[in-house]
Amino acid sequence: FKHDCDSNRSRDGIAEAKTLQGIAIGRCRKTDGMLFYSPHTKQIYTSSDFKLDEGRSTRTTCNLQYDGGIFVGLYDSSSTCAGVEPYPEGTEVCMNILIAEKPVKMRGFVISIPIPSTPNQLPATSRDESPYVVRLVDGSVHNLSPYIMDSIVVDCQSSFSGTFSFPQWMGSSQKVMYLKDGLYIKGFMEFDLDSSIWRFSQRRRNGLELWGVELHSLARDYQKYIDDGTLTPGWHNHSYFSKAGMARAVTTVHVSAKNLSSSIAPGSIKRALHSRNPDRDIWKKSYDEEFDGLYQSDTFEIISEEEYFQLCRTTGIKAIPSMCVFTVKKDSQGRPVRAKSRVVVLGNKDPRNWSKADCFAPVVSLPIVRMLTALAVQKRRTLKQGDCKLAFVQAVLPPEELTIVKPPADCPCSTPGTYWKLKKSLYGLRRAPKHWFNLINSFLQSPEIGLTRCKNDFCVFFGSPIPDKPPIYLILYVNDFVFFSEDDDVESYFQQALSAKISVDFMGDAEWFLGLKFDWIRSHDGHVDCRISQEAYIQEIVSELCQSNANTSPLMTPFRSGFPVDTIPDIDMSPEDRAPLIAKMQCWMGMINWVTMGSRPDISTIVSLLASHTSHPNPGHLDAVKYLGRYLKSTADLGLLFSSRHNSILEGYIYFPLSDTVDLPCGRTAPALLSFCDANWGPQDASIPPSSGPLRQVSIEESRSIIVQSFGRYTRKTGSVEVQLKPKSRLPMNVLKPHKCFGIF
């Protein structure tokens, strides 16, 4: 609901929201508005400008718990109104259901009360019945008539003889830990309604099941599962669980961000865990997940203040401060899916002097990702995706890199006056990327996996782990990677071999990698299609350019008609006035360039033209970028399609009007046709080079000392260059490697 001011202070700040979230509690008798209660401020407000979200549960959204202090009544102004609702939400019930064809009494509670269509509190006939909605402990939902509620409502003051009920942890979606191969893994309880069998399920972030097992006769033998250690209710942190007492709990489920009231992550631990923060519990779980991962990975050793001072006197090493960075991870549609916390070291406070070579670690580029996708589709395969858990904390620090870290301020898991003596690398250290890349590189090239690193790109690996089997191809980007092989056995062997060396989460077919969304289509005839798009990131660009409400047309182009980029006039401005334009231009072009390299080559020409003005932009160049944002908004769902089928159709466009002529072999002349496909909009008039005079032929001997390079485009300002090789030369054509080629068809 709308809320413009707090007491006498109006909310005029650019970052201040003018709305509040609350619970509608009724009509205001003094104004024509609604009364709202805000759990955040614990106050009641009146507003006539509001939007009701009937699909959200008040109890879940606002973390409210019914304590018996108020009753839910039906809104009824008739004289026959009976008063309060007899069975409000939360009323406990006990009803008979069939489990394994045997009647069993199971407990539950009311989650929704009826809304009658008649003015009476109870319906007069069965047609007027609006059912009570009851959820049982197994997760099943039942619609019950109001006339049978008296027979199933539990009387708290009397005991039911012979009544059977499950413990609280045996509900649907309840957190439990299952003992698998001497190691406890975290997951959820599920009840299969078709087979009437309880299951333990461990799932990925996208909802796909990683592993599951049926729990036979759980309703009868649930205490036996607890006694022998097979099941442990809840998720336990800082604890060690196994039959032998050696294995540790493994964190496999991330903290969900779907119930966050604000998609803006807090800037510090103090704000995240503040008592008035409605998302305090979610961020607390997120921080516990990060701290537990570091603790269980044996990343650091906790030392006292006295031990720290002794190390300072003997080694001269001083503690480096750290902080916690909170982020909200989103899916391919831009929806929040994970509340993530990351403890990072302030590497700029490291007193050691490291060179660039000591800290550098390569990453794969987007064109290489597209190349591997095309290769996989050509082989009628799909890319598989993997994620190395806690990548930067896997590498062991060498003894000469002794590092002491001060825990983040307001850390709820650290005792005041303690420090962390690092055993392994940590995020934020300047040499952490180098240590991680060396570690994963050694794993991939180990004899057990047997991959070879590409000489031209250090993030591309290939090899045949199984002799006489097809090779496997892999590209690496920090801790994320995609791979494929033509043989399923090779992919399975690679997954097992890598999992034996490091904690890896294999997520099946690639869906979301480096901001690219992959849509795989398998046909019955064996062909494979893959579509790559960046719709969610394009929407962020459109919002950054303030073009979310701009008018668009599906027929528009990235060029503004009649305003070529090269003809935008230069305005005399002082360096101070031009500095904000430079910052905006560089920021916008950096975001758009990522889309160009990923899935939108149709804007490469306009991006190349605008990128040449990033160091000296004018207001007209920023308007051209905004117009490009309007084009991206109208074509946000466009992408690249890779198909294993052959395409015999080539679409092209002819530049008009025709001007120059070319000589035909028969001695005749014809108009020169400058053709280009729809994969790239361009060029503009100002980018066409002028016709030059006679060309001088260059011999091979002379061409060896000539470097031919194009910086993205030819213009009237830079002129044009053409080199012709004599027919008698037998030198390979790859001697000359231009940066970009333009063809005349």
Side-chain angles (χ1 to χ4, degrees):
F1 60 92
K2 188 175 181 180
H3 181 65
D4 292 332
C5 60
D6 296 326
S7 184
N8 295 328
R9 188 187 69 85
S10 60
R11 295 188 172 190
D12 295 333
I14 189 173
E16 289 187 293
K18 296 187 178 181
T19 59
L20 279 180
Q21 188 181 43
I23 305 172
I25 58 178
R27 284 284 181 185
C28 180
R29 297 182 178 181
K30 297 181 180 180
T31 63
D32 188 18
M34 289 283 290
L35 292 175
F36 296 95
Y37 171 74
S38 174
H40 305 161
T41 61
K42 296 181 173 53
Q43 295 183 6
I44 297 179
Y45 301 90
T46 302
S47 176
S48 60
D49 190 358
F50 57 87
K51 180 180 180 181
L52 298 179
D53 190 353
E54 300 177 357
R56 303 185 68 177
S57 172
T58 300
R59 180 186 305 174
T60 304
T61 305
C62 302
N63 297 324
L64 299 181
Q65 185 176 3
Y66 177 68
D67 59 358
I70 58 175
F71 291 92
V72 180
L74 298 179
Y75 183 79
D76 192 357
S77 59
S78 63
S79 58
T80 59
C81 179
V84 299
E85 164 63 36
Y87 314 116
E89 293 183 1
T91 301
E92 189 175 0
V93 298
C94 183
M95 57 183 294
N96 289 324
I97 65 169
L98 294 177
I99 296 182
E101 300 182 356
K102 295 182 180 180
V104 176
K105 287 187 176 182
M106 187 175 296
R107 291 180 179 267
F109 56 90
V110 178
I111 62 174
S112 178
I113 60 176
I115 301 177
S117 57
T118 61
N120 297 323
Q121 198 72 348
L122 292 176
T125 63
S126 59
R127 295 182 179 180
D128 299 331
E129 291 183 5
S130 178
Y132 283 86
V133 182
V134 175
R135 176 178 293 163
L136 302 181
V137 293
D138 65 345
S140 59
V141 178
H142 303 268
N143 295 331
L144 303 178
S145 171
Y147 292 103
I148 67 172
M149 292 297 295
D150 288 336
S151 61
I152 65 173
V153 172
V154 176
D155 187 1
C156 299
Q157 298 179 356
S158 63
S159 61
F160 282 79
S161 60
T163 299
F164 176 80
S165 61
F166 292 146
Q168 185 176 3
W169 62 268
M170 280 186 61
S172 181
S173 301
Q174 292 295 321
K175 298 179 180 179
V176 294
M177 299 173 65
Y178 187 87
L179 183 63
K180 177 187 176 185
D181 299 331
L183 195 69
Y184 275 98
I185 58 177
K186 296 181 179 181
F188 295 90
M189 295 291 297
E190 295 182 356
F191 187 77
D192 192 342
L193 297 178
D194 297 331
S195 58
S196 299
I197 296 178
W198 283 96
R199 298 182 72 256
F200 171 84
S201 178
Q202 177 190 13
R203 297 185 178 275
R204 297 191 180 99
R205 287 173 289 179
N206 55 9
L208 296 178
E209 188 177 60
L210 277 172
W211 184 81
V213 62
E214 294 183 352
L215 306 174
H216 297 281
S217 304
L218 181 66
R220 182 188 62 192
D221 302 330
Y222 66 89
Q223 189 61 42
K224 183 179 179 181
Y225 281 91
I226 297 297
D227 295 339
D228 61 12
T230 304
L231 283 177
T232 300
W235 291 352
H236 301 272
N237 300 321
H238 304 297
S239 301
Y240 298 86
F241 299 92
S242 72
K243 281 188 174 181
M246 295 298 295
R248 290 175 293 189
V250 178
T251 301
T252 56
V253 181
H254 299 296
V255 178
S256 174
K258 295 182 180 180
N259 294 327
L260 286 176
S261 61
S262 175
S263 60
I264 302 177
S268 63
I269 297 179
K270 185 177 181 180
R271 294 188 60 183
L273 305 183
H274 196 274
S275 58
R276 298 189 64 180
N277 185 1
D279 302 326
R280 179 183 184 274
D281 294 338
I282 297 179
W283 291 117
K284 178 63 168 62
K285 294 179 181 178
S286 176
Y287 185 82
D288 289 342
E289 178 194 23
E290 171 69 8
F291 186 87
D292 294 342
L294 299 177
Y295 184 83
Q296 296 169 9
S297 300
D298 199 21
T299 306
F300 54 81
E301 174 189 355
I302 300 178
I303 61 176
S304 63
E305 195 169 17
E306 296 179 358
E307 295 174 319
Y308 164 65
F309 288 146
Q310 184 178 359
L311 287 174
C312 287
R313 290 191 295 266
T314 56
T315 62
I317 300 297
K318 293 186 178 181
I320 305 176
S322 63
M323 62 180 294
C324 183
V325 179
F326 298 95
T327 55
V328 178
K329 305 290 288 187
K330 300 180 181 180
D331 59 7
S332 58
Q333 302 297 327
R335 297 169 298 191
V337 295
R338 179 187 176 189
K340 184 177 180 180
S341 302
R342 181 70 74 195
V343 176
V344 298
V345 178
L346 301 182
N348 58 323
K349 303 293 185 179
D350 190 353
R352 299 184 181 94
N353 293 324
W354 302 106
S355 63
K356 183 177 180 181
D358 296 331
C359 307
F360 174 75
V363 293
V364 73
S365 60
L366 288 178
I368 300 299
V369 179
R370 299 203 310 265
M371 179 198 69
L372 190 69
T373 305
L375 182 60
V377 172
Q378 181 186 4
K379 303 295 184 180
R380 300 187 181 183
R381 302 289 292 180
T382 61
L383 292 180
K384 304 297 188 298
Q385 186 174 358
D387 178 19
C388 299
K389 298 300 181 184
L390 296 173
F392 281 12
V393 302
Q394 300 289 344
V396 178
L397 285 178
E400 61 271 13
E401 295 186 25
L402 175 63
T403 304
I404 302 176
V405 174
K406 186 177 181 180
D410 303 312
C411 175
C413 304
S414 298
T415 305
T418 58
Y419 294 83
W420 297 346
K421 180 182 177 182
L422 295 186
K423 298 180 180 179
K424 297 181 179 180
S425 180
L426 194 62
Y427 291 91
L429 291 179
R430 296 179 61 187
R431 280 178 56 83
K434 184 74 170 180
H435 290 316
W436 161 247
F437 183 79
N438 292 337
L439 179 65
I440 189 64
N441 181 57
S442 64
F443 288 159
L444 295 176
Q445 298 189 78
S446 62
E448 294 80 6
I449 300 179
L451 299 187
T452 303
R453 190 172 64 183
C454 180
K455 296 180 180 179
N456 297 325
D457 195 318
F458 287 172
C459 293
V460 179
F461 297 83
F462 62 94
S464 300
I466 303 178
D468 301 328
K469 289 284 188 177
I472 186 172
Y473 303 91
L474 179 143
I475 56 177
L476 178 69
Y477 188 93
V478 192
N479 62 326
D480 297 320
F481 59 90
V482 291
F483 63 96
F484 88 95
S485 176
E486 297 182 58
D487 192 277
D488 293 335
D489 295 337
V490 176
E491 293 181 347
S492 300
Y493 175 83
F494 168 75
Q495 294 182 19
Q496 296 176 3
L498 187 59
S499 299
K501 293 181 173 295
I502 196 172
S503 177
V504 184
D505 182 14
F506 290 99
M507 297 176 279
D509 293 343
E511 297 181 358
W512 184 251
F513 184 69
L514 301 187
L516 301 177
K517 184 177 182 296
F518 293 81
D519 295 312
W520 301 93
I521 303 174
R522 298 179 180 88
S523 303
H524 297 290
D525 55 0
H527 285 283
V528 175
D529 298 333
C530 178
R531 182 178 181 273
I532 298 179
S533 61
Q534 295 173 280
E535 184 174 357
Y537 188 64
I538 289 177
Q539 296 297 343
E540 292 184 12
I541 296 177
V542 173
S543 177
E544 180 69 21
L545 298 177
C546 301
Q547 299 298 308
S548 300
N549 299 323
N551 296 326
T552 59
S553 171
L555 302 178
M556 66 185 305
T557 71
F559 298 100
R560 189 177 179 184
S561 178
F563 295 91
V565 175
D566 285 351
T567 62
I568 294 178
D570 185 16
I571 300 178
D572 187 15
M573 303 176 63
S574 63
E576 292 78 11
D577 295 337
R578 198 181 298 274
L581 303 184
I582 296 176
K584 281 188 178 181
M585 191 72 176
Q586 293 177 349
C587 176
W588 293 351
M589 293 309 301
M591 299 175 66
I592 297 176
N593 187 54
W594 183 261
V595 175
T596 306
M597 295 188 300
S599 62
R600 298 299 297 270
D602 56 321
I603 61 174
S604 59
T605 297
I606 183 62
V607 170
S608 178
L609 293 171
L610 292 172
S612 62
H613 300 279
T614 54
S615 61
H616 191 79
N618 292 287
H621 296 122
L622 271 67
D623 293 339
V625 177
K626 291 183 178 180
Y627 191 85
L628 176 58
R630 295 176 57 187
Y631 170 74
L632 290 175
K633 178 187 176 183
S634 64
T635 58
D637 57 345
L638 289 184
L640 294 178
L641 179 64
F642 299 89
S643 177
S644 58
R645 296 179 175 85
H646 295 287
N647 185 10
S648 59
I649 302 176
L650 176 64
E651 296 183 0
Y653 301 87
I654 306 300
Y655 183 81
F656 190 83
L658 306 176
S659 55
D660 300 335
T661 59
V662 295
D663 296 331
L664 300 179
C666 58
R668 300 170 59 186
T669 59
L673 303 180
L674 177 61
S675 60
F676 50 93
C677 67
D678 60 350
N680 196 320
W681 282 101
Q684 287 192 290
D685 294 340
S687 300
I688 300 178
S691 57
S692 58
L695 300 177
R696 181 178 67 87
Q697 292 186 346
V698 181
S699 63
I700 284 295
E701 290 75 10
E702 186 179 356
S703 66
R704 291 176 179 174
S705 61
I706 298 178
I707 298 178
V708 181
Q709 185 177 8
S710 166
F711 295 94
R713 65 189 179 91
Y714 292 105
T715 64
R716 288 196 178 103
K717 299 177 182 178
T718 60
S720 60
V721 176
E722 182 175 351
V723 176
Q724 292 182 350
L725 299 180
K726 290 186 176 182
K728 65 180 181 180
S729 66
R730 298 181 181 178
L731 204 63
M733 291 302 295
N734 60 2
V735 170
L736 299 178
K737 298 180 180 179
H739 181 69
K740 182 174 291 187
C741 299
F742 296 90
I744 302 294
F745 294 85

